[in-house]
């Protein structure tokens, strides 16, 4: 969080209107500067019985019918984060005509892997069942995340056992979006992350790259250019997962931006910081393309936004587990019943 605060406060200092917000946290300042005039917000909806199993819903104030639904998970190394801090994401998506679901989830040390993912899947199941009550179209359902939240999104989209608990399957998703996500991070170097995944006894099945199958939904993977992200290696994680998806002929768009870091990539969704990168435009284009009845994505073979080619790492072989084994392991760790 120190890196996030330092980086974002430096950016906000360059915005005249942010002068009076210098004492606020960077995310509070971004939210204060982000217009919510186009969105209607419903806060504190429960998707489960526990205190952290809550979410906020942002919908366009003006809509002519049900709109695509995007469930967003924030980052924070699986140890920190609050849905209210990411109101700017909800407002940005609602302004583009989508329903945004910003979900909290239980964090370490309250829980570990895979319980964190069970919360994520539960929130997605809530969106599938309840979004129509708020103006969303559950038939056009997407999952999205940044950093640790991108990991959550990837696992929900790729590991079929997580949604299976709720009578769903990854093909119920129209697509998923990962911003600077860690998808292949063993051995774990970050000492804060290690206990979340029981390191050094972290199972290989905890890694999204090992869950790539021929049924994976379309993916949009966005990251800073290699060298710009000091926390998650874009070439190994974004490039490696994109390569693994392409190997199985799965639709994937892989995009790198050169003026953002790990933290400012998600911040570029906010209206005052969109000059950093066209992140919201890329997300909108992906959602719109995959919201159509018949969609054919043009696969990006690793081209950066400035035309440079980014060499992807070789795909690692997927390690398969039976659906029965995965579902059984998930149930063994889940402390709350499926809805």
């Amino acid at each position: 969080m120190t890196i996030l605060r330092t980086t974002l406060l430096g950016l906000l200092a360059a915005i005249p209107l942010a002068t009076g917000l210098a004492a606020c946290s960077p995310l509070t300042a971004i939210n204060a500067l982000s217009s919510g005039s186009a969105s209607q917000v419903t806060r504190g909806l429960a998707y489960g019985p526990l205190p952290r199993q809550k979410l906020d819903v942002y919908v366009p104030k003006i809509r002519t019918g049900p709109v695509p639904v995007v469930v967003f998970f924030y980052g924070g190394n699986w140890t920190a984060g609050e849905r209210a801090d990411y109101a700017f994401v909800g407002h940005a998506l609602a302004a583009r005509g989508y329903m945004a679901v910003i979900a909290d989830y239980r964090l370490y040390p309250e829980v570990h892997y895979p319980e964190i993912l069970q919360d994520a899947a539960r929130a997605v199941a809530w969106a599938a069942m309840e979004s129509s009550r708020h103006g969303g179209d559950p038939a056009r359902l997407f999952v999205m995340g940044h950093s640790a939240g991108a990991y959550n999104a990837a696992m929900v989209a790729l590991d079929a056992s997580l949604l299976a608990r709720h009578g769903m399957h990854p093909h119920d998703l129209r697509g998923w979006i990962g911003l600077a996500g860690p998808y292949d991070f063993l051995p774990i170097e970050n000492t804060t992350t290690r206990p979340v995944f029981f390191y050094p006894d972290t199972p290989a099945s905890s890694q999204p790259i090992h869950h790539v199958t021929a049924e994976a939904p379309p993916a949009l993977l966005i990251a800073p250019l290699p060298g710009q992200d000091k926390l998650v290696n874009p070439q190994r994680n974004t490039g490696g997962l994109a390569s693994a998806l392409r190997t199985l002929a799965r639709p994937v768009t892989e995009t790198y931006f050169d003026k953002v870091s790990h933290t400012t990539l998600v911040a570029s969704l906010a209206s005052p910081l969109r000059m950093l990168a066209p992140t919201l435009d890329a997300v909108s284009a992906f959602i719109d393309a995959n919201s159509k009845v018949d969609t054919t994505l043009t696969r990006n073979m690793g081209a950066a936004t400035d035309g440079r080619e980014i060499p992807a790492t070789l795909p690692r072989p997927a390690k398969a587990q039976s659906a029965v084994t995965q579902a059984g392991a998930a149930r063994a760790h889940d402390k709350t019943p499926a809805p």
Side-chain angles (χ1 to χ4, degrees):
M1 293 302 289
T2 301
I3 295 174
L4 174 66
R5 179 178 178 83
T6 301
T7 304
L8 294 184
L9 283 180
L11 285 170
L12 290 169
I15 303 174
L17 290 176
T19 304
L21 299 172
C24 300
S25 74
L27 292 175
T28 299
I30 289 175
N31 284 323
L33 292 168
S34 299
S35 174
S37 60
S39 58
Q40 175 183 327
V41 187
T42 304
R43 294 185 172 88
L45 296 172
Y47 68 86
L50 302 177
R52 290 280 303 183
Q53 294 173 334
K54 297 287 196 303
L55 52 81
D56 296 339
V57 171
Y58 299 74
V59 293
K61 284 184 179 178
I62 300 174
R63 56 188 185 276
T64 58
V67 298
V69 180
V70 185
V71 182
F72 177 83
F73 299 109
Y74 50 75
N77 214 2
W78 301 282
T79 63
E82 298 288 343
R83 65 185 188 277
D85 289 339
Y86 293 84
F88 68 91
V89 176
H91 290 313
L93 292 172
R96 291 295 176 99
Y98 317 124
M99 172 178 161
V101 177
I102 313 295
D104 278 336
Y105 51 95
R106 288 173 294 168
L107 302 168
Y108 178 82
E110 180 185 358
V111 293
H112 303 74
Y113 162 88
E115 291 166 285
I116 291 169
L117 296 174
Q118 289 156 4
D119 279 9
R122 194 183 184 103
V124 172
W126 180 96
M129 293 185 293
E130 302 292 337
S131 61
S132 60
R133 297 172 184 250
H134 301 271
D137 180 2
R140 293 181 288 168
L141 178 61
F142 297 81
V143 63
M144 172 180 174
H146 168 250
S147 191
Y151 167 88
N152 295 358
M155 288 295 282
V156 168
L158 299 176
D159 181 354
S161 72
L162 292 168
L163 288 178
R165 292 182 53 83
H166 307 279
M168 295 179 65
H169 189 275
H171 62 56
D172 294 320
L173 302 174
R174 285 297 185 95
W176 71 278
I177 302 157
L179 308 180
Y183 312 119
D184 180 19
F185 53 91
L186 293 182
I188 300 175
E189 297 180 358
N190 188 315
T191 56
T192 301
T193 302
R194 285 178 172 179
V196 179
F197 292 90
F198 304 104
Y199 187 82
D201 298 317
T202 307
S205 60
S206 66
Q207 304 298 289
I209 200 165
H210 295 321
H211 292 279
V212 174
T213 70
E215 297 184 347
L220 170 63
L221 305 181
I222 304 177
L225 279 172
Q228 299 289 101
D229 191 335
K230 305 302 182 183
L231 297 178
V232 176
N233 184 319
Q235 188 169 339
R236 176 179 179 182
N237 290 273
T238 295
L241 184 59
S243 180
L245 288 164
R246 285 195 296 268
T247 296
L248 292 182
R250 301 314 301 145
V252 56
T253 301
E254 178 187 4
T255 301
Y256 299 86
F257 296 137
D258 62 356
K259 295 181 180 178
V260 291
S261 65
H262 183 82
T263 53
T264 59
L265 177 59
V266 68
S268 68
L269 292 169
S271 50
L273 296 176
R274 286 178 195 159
M275 72 287 192
L276 295 176
T279 309
L280 184 58
D281 290 339
V283 169
S284 297
F286 177 81
I287 294 171
D288 292 346
N290 286 280
S291 291
K292 298 174 183 176
V293 175
D294 294 312
T295 299
T296 302
L297 284 182
T298 301
R299 287 182 287 160
N300 185 316
M301 301 304 288
T305 54
D306 60 359
R308 281 176 281 169
E309 290 292 321
I310 304 301
T313 56
L314 291 175
R316 301 183 179 210
K319 294 189 177 179
Q321 281 183 287
S322 71
V324 173
T325 300
Q326 290 182 348
R331 283 193 291 272
H333 288 275
D334 199 355
K335 306 303 183 186
T336 59

